[in-house]
Amino acid sequence: MLNGLSVFTGNAHLALAQSICDYLEIPLGKADVFQFSNENIFVKINENVRQRDVFIVQPTCSPVNTSIMELLIMIDAVKRASAGRITAVVPYFAYARTDKKDQPRVPITARLLADLITVAGANRVVTVDLHAGQIQGFFSIPVDELTALYTLSRYFQDKRLADPVVVAPDLGITKKARNFAERLHAPLAIIEKRRVDNMELVEELNVIGEVSGKTALIFDDEIDTAGSLTQAVKALEKRGVREIYATCTHGVFSNSAVERINASGLREVVVTDTIPLASEKKSEKITVLTLAPLIGEAIRRIHSGTSVGALFQ
């Protein structure tokens, strides 16, 4: 049924790529991907891909720029090996916050990255929960944006939290947080804030909605330094919540994020495996859910020409 399908990966997230192949019941494609001593990246595809339907699994996570270059060079390699179709599977899309000019003389790096992937030779892109939906429009090729909403909501449905309220940590995530709240049959609260400069400093302004005595569940698309998250926790604690959970699709956890989470009043932080969780970042408070079956099923449907959107209906 999956004749003509090949899945390859760079070094960004081997475990996820292998889990996707396990779901599809196919072997992971053989390839050499490494750096020379001068930091130049070398790629060699070690099996025939002529006229095959090739999927390259590579989240553009830390080290971000190395992961991007591996992806681009792998796309070029399979293109020059006469692949029939090339799909870049980018579960985590880096530079997504730079999706517009919000200051004078700044780039739109998300558009640049979209152009690079397209020019390298990708015919299609699969990604998960983009930070900004308009990034889909930066591509001139088809983009399938999957969502972890159902995976995350099922986890918390099974936990049966007492009197939950879903909290959007800023105005930008409100629409997605409302959809998440509807899945849990819970009300929505919003933390209104403003960022005071280009650093990670955030000033909390107000909690909009009733949270006192409830179980708060903070919902976001990603957790980076956890600065905004822990500020939200403090704001909710001042409003008398019973206990606090947090969930997001992409657990970036840069700098001292895990230390901040461990020192906070958070009961549990639930993320997915779009980004690998390094051993030094593991914590009893952090739970990782896999999206391998979701991504694997999307690959199966793209390969067979059936609906990807039907996954979420």
Side-chain angles (χ1 to χ4, degrees):
M1 186 174 71
L2 297 179
N3 292 336
L5 172 64
S6 295
V7 176
F8 293 89
T9 186
N11 295 307
H13 202 342
L14 178 60
L16 176 60
Q18 185 61 63
S19 295
I20 290 169
C21 288
D22 291 345
Y23 175 84
L24 293 170
E25 298 180 329
I26 62 172
L28 183 62
K30 297 184 176 79
D32 295 326
V33 184
F34 62 88
Q35 280 192 12
F36 290 115
S37 57
N38 63 0
E39 299 182 12
N40 287 195
I41 294 169
F42 176 78
V43 170
K44 183 175 186 295
I45 307 301
N46 291 321
E47 57 188 64
N48 180 26
V49 294
R50 184 176 295 274
Q51 293 307 305
R52 293 185 69 83
D53 194 7
V54 174
F55 292 77
I56 300 172
V57 179
Q58 180 84 337
T60 50
C61 52
S62 180
V64 172
N65 297 324
T66 298
S67 296
I68 290 170
M69 284 305 300
E70 284 185 2
L71 173 62
L72 298 176
I73 296 170
M74 291 189 77
I75 292 170
D76 185 73
V78 295
K79 179 182 71 173
R80 294 177 188 278
S82 302
R85 181 175 65 176
I86 305 166
T87 301
V89 181
V90 189
Y92 174 69
F93 191 87
Y95 292 105
R97 293 182 178 182
T98 319
D99 62 305
K100 58 185 175 298
K101 286 191 65 173
D102 54 0
Q103 303 174 52
R105 298 175 298 282
V106 296
I108 304 178
T109 318
R111 171 59 193 266
L112 173 62
L113 182 52
D115 287 343
L116 289 170
I117 291 171
T118 306
V119 170
N123 304 112
R124 191 180 198 97
V125 169
V126 175
T127 188
V128 182
D129 286 330
L130 290 166
H131 181 69
Q134 64 264 28
I135 293 173
Q136 289 189 45
F138 292 172
F139 288 90
S140 57
I141 55 178
V143 176
D144 289 301
E145 183 185 3
L146 311 179
T147 181
L149 177 73
Y150 301 95
T151 302
L152 296 172
S153 62
R154 277 195 301 270
Y155 178 85
F156 283 101
Q157 284 169 346
D158 292 342
K159 286 186 79 73
R160 300 184 182 277
L161 299 179
D163 200 9
V165 56
V166 173
V167 180
D170 60 54
L171 296 174
I173 197 69
T174 302
K175 183 176 179 181
K176 288 184 178 179
R178 183 184 297 116
N179 293 338
F180 188 77
E182 288 175 356
R183 295 275 301 173
L184 297 181
H185 304 290
L188 177 69
I190 302 168
I191 295 181
E192 185 184 25
K193 69 180 182 182
R194 62 183 175 91
R195 198 170 295 275
V196 295
D197 57 26
N198 287 330
M199 303 301 289
E200 305 301 332
L201 303 175
V202 171
E203 180 179 344
E204 300 297 343
L205 293 182
N206 191 27
V207 178
I208 304 171
E210 181 55 50
V211 298
S212 179
K214 294 179 179 289
T215 301
L217 175 51
I218 301 170
F219 176 87
D220 210 343
D221 62 321
E222 73 175 63
I223 298 172
D224 186 3
T225 64
S228 297
L229 174 61
T230 51
Q231 289 294 323
V233 169
K234 291 176 183 177
L236 290 168
E237 286 174 335
K238 290 178 181 177
R239 296 291 291 268
V241 297
R242 177 185 298 165
E243 55 184 9
I244 307 172
Y245 294 79
T247 187
C248 74
T249 302
H250 310 294
V252 181
F253 300 134
S254 58
N255 297 334
S256 57
V258 176
E259 288 81 356
R260 285 174 172 166
I261 288 169
N262 287 337
S264 74
L266 281 162
R267 177 104 177 215
E268 183 182 19
V269 177
V270 181
V271 301
T272 75
D273 60 352
T274 57
I275 296 173
L277 185 64
S279 57
E280 66 272 15
K281 294 182 179 181
K282 290 182 179 177
S283 164
E284 292 182 356
K285 287 190 175 185
I286 298 174
T287 301
V288 181
L289 307 180
T290 185
L291 292 185
L294 173 65
I295 298 172
E297 185 58 30
I299 289 173
R300 185 196 303 277
R301 289 170 181 245
I302 292 168
H303 177 66
S304 62
T306 54
S307 173
V308 173
L311 276 169
F312 309 109
Q313 293 176 357

